[in-house]
Amino acid sequence: MTPKDVRCYQGLRVGPDGDPLDVDGVIGPETQWSLDLDALPAWRSTLVLAGLKWRNHVEVIENSSPEIDAWNKAAGAKVGSRWCASFASMCIRAAGIECREASVHGLA
């Protein structure tokens, strides 16, 4: 890739923190991460990007927000439950795989 190609690519992608890449024409660690993500099967990159979308999400009260409550409900957990597995299930569903699991052990 030429520096011009890299800049065009960077202008359309995000890095591992979910923020847009710096458009500098250099394949540094964040651009390499994005290139590696693009090399994955589509369902896997979709799963990663679904999770990144919520990277700064904050609970309104402990274990609850409108989004967290929806993730828990979709996974079959009670509102107010710990939501890590329900969040993972949501990311997996975003990738087109049916998953309604609110248990880490169930996900494993």
Side-chain angles (χ1 to χ4, degrees):
M1 294 178 81
T2 68
K4 181 179 178 180
D5 294 333
V6 174
R7 284 191 296 277
C8 288
Y9 176 86
Q10 290 168 326
L12 300 172
R13 299 297 195 282
V14 298
D17 58 3
D19 292 333
L21 292 171
D22 290 337
V23 180
D24 59 10
V26 176
I27 300 178
E30 291 187 1
T31 299
Q32 186 61 56
W33 178 89
S34 185
L35 288 164
D36 293 343
L37 182 67
D38 283 351
L40 295 174
W43 70 269
R44 290 185 71 185
S45 59
T46 300
L47 190 151
V48 170
L49 293 171
L52 279 178
K53 176 182 174 184
W54 297 99
R55 71 190 184 284
N56 293 321
H57 189 69
V58 177
E59 298 170 342
V60 176
I61 58 172
E62 186 175 354
N63 291 319
S64 185
S65 74
E67 294 82 7
I68 292 168
D69 295 349
W71 301 332
N72 273 333
K73 183 177 178 182
K78 293 179 184 177
V79 170
S81 298
R82 292 189 175 117
W83 52 277
C84 57
S86 297
F87 176 76
S89 291
M90 178 275 300
C91 293
I92 293 167
R93 285 192 309 278
I97 300 166
E98 185 56 33
C99 183
R100 305 220 178 264
E101 183 59 61
S103 160
V104 172
H105 292 265
L107 284 172

